[in-house]
Amino acid sequence: MEFHKVLPADSSIVMFAKIAVNQGRSPGLEKNEFYDAIVKRADALRADGESPQQAFSKVITDDETGRLLYKAMQIAPGAELKPVAQPAPPSREESARLLGPAHARLHSQAIDHQRANPRLSYENAYSRMYTAPENAGLRAEINREHLAASMAAVHG
């Protein structure tokens, strides 16, 4: 297989790699973009029986374009791997609704306590309601709900 057919020398990423190496700084690209280009090139050039790791090593050492991309990756800012997007956590109301009626009651108490004491954060108000001696029974119900939810997650 010919290298220039896999990733043409005039491709955008190669052009940006040349700029990065010549200027000593990345022209707006991050490490993960150069890394992805190296991985694609290594996958395309991988020989039969060769592991992806072996192909990657071979490309960054034996292939002129791969070496260029690797040098540019070392110069570029950021991480080699793109961070995985995390889903937004549920709102307090949604969380209380999902966890069960006892948790929802405690959530309501915490909101009421916070409204009565505006200087308290929600977390402080919740903690005060959770640890209040008169809420011992509610705490036990919440613990049962959490245990039931955990068991359901484990056992389907």
Side-chain angles (χ1 to χ4, degrees), residues 37-134:
I38 296 169
V39 169
K40 285 180 187 174
R41 186 161 181 83
D43 285 344
L45 298 174
R46 190 166 73 185
D48 290 338
E50 191 174 48
S51 73
Q53 295 83 3
Q54 290 170 324
F56 185 91
S57 294
K58 190 167 110 181
V59 164
I60 65 173
T61 57
D62 298 343
D63 175 43
E64 183 180 337
T65 303
R67 283 193 306 269
L68 175 69
L69 290 168
Y70 185 68
K71 285 178 187 174
M73 182 183 80
Q74 291 176 313
I75 294 169
E80 292 168 3
L81 298 177
K82 225 182 269 188
V84 178
Q86 298 293 323
S91 67
R92 291 180 189 139
E93 292 78 13
E94 182 70 11
S95 178
R97 185 184 62 75
L98 291 174
L99 290 174
H103 193 272
R105 282 197 308 275
L106 187 64
H107 169 73
S108 292
Q109 285 183 8
I111 293 291
D112 292 344
H113 189 68
Q114 185 183 20
R115 286 181 183 150
N117 302 286
R119 296 182 72 188
L120 287 179
S121 68
Y122 171 80
E123 290 76 15
N124 285 342
Y126 186 93
S127 179
R128 287 191 183 177
M129 292 297 97
Y130 188 83
T131 58
E134 63 270 16

